[in-house]
Amino acid sequence: MQELKEYPKSLEGSKSLLAKYLTKEIFQELKDKVTSNGFTLTQAINSGVQNPDSGIGAYVGDEESYEVFASLFDPIIEEYHGFKKEDKHKSNLNPDDLNAPNPDPKGEYILSTRIRVGRNVKNIPLGPAISDEQRDSVEKDVSDVLSSFKNNLGGKYYPLNNMSEEDSKSLIKDHFLFKAGDRFLETAGLNKNWPNSRGIFHNNEKTFLVWVNEEDELRIISMQEGGDIKEVFTRLTIAIDALSKKVEFAYNEHLGYITSCPTNLGTAMRASVHIKLPNLGNSMDEFKSIADKYNVQIRGIHGEHSASEGGIYDISNKRRLGVSEVECVQDMYDGVVALIKREKELA
Ligand code: ARG
């Protein structure tokens, strides 16, 4: 990658947080800085420079990047998470502290519930800066640990570069397979050496999943049909606990769990449901204002940047940093309860 010498023109007119906070002065201050892994400003901002329609537009290559490029990342983090430089993150993975009786016991609205967290291995660069050998060793260590899991968490690891036609079909059918990253991840450097050293683990019951070397080195996922959000969270906390006994994750008191995208810092958690809300879907202004009030995000059901289909939406927590895991799930839960209430009134 050619190192930028001058302020990138494509940012002029872009509405990304990168364009907002990378002033020409900050660009000059940071352009020759580099982390001990050799990660540069040019690499950190390439995704936003190549994709001026980004919401954020920057990724880091290692934990140190958040320090070295702090004059760019601090204001991005402050605006996205409402979290200040001197604030401290907090963690709470105790399901007993969650107040979440099934909001839809008859199964009229919620199709499925999914909660994921991102994790990265301590002292190894993050995806945008990891070497092929390091990526390979992450895959080997993590898949060994996962393959040793027993009982409810027991299952099998499927490497992407060595997968039978049959396994691939069944993973696609279950929506477990992940694809090469989109243009945002591609330009962040996250597709390097694809599909090697990437893979998916799932338990036999198909309720616990780990993606290896996608946007983060681990994405730990708990999911099931219906709206028993507490059961999904409880399983996730058990899985996180089992994994963290064997793999040390990158974490610090200020930023919580370290992730390559600043939006995922802190809990690195996205707790979501797929939910039928056709009437709210027809009054999008009201839908959005309820979502804002409860700190939840509305997406389509085919992932980020996708549209809704058949009145089904993906609703998830928006806050992740400076709030605990329990609070993230509680945000989603409270939002879903409010949305179902309004959907009923509109019907
Ligand atoms: N880089 C993209 C943007 O700035 C996505 C940001 C959040 N999503 C993510 N998968 N990290 O719009």
Side-chain angles (χ1 to χ4, degrees), residues 93 119 145-146 149 218 220 236-250 257:
L93 281 160
R119 291 289 186 270
V145 171
L146 289 168
F149 281 3
L218 289 89
I220 308 169
L236 180 75
T237 61
I238 295 169
I240 293 174
D241 190 53
L243 269 160
S244 50
K245 287 198 172 104
K246 304 279 182 185
V247 188
E248 196 174 354
F249 298 128
Y257 288 98

Side-chain angles (χ1 to χ4, degrees), residues 16-18 47-48 51 53-59 80 116 182-185 187-188 190 214-216 219 259-264 297 299 304-305 320:
S16 66
L17 294 189
L18 170 66
S47 189
N51 301 289
D53 59 336
S54 292
I56 317 297
Y59 292 82
Y80 186 86
R116 63 85 165 155
D182 58 16
R183 63 195 162 93
F184 301 95
L185 296 178
T187 47
L190 279 153
E214 198 243 7
E215 179 175 331
D216 290 300
R219 285 280 171 100
T259 55
S260 56
C261 178
T263 64
N264 281 321
Q297 208 172 47
R299 292 185 179 181
E304 198 173 12
H305 314 114
R320 304 199 162 88

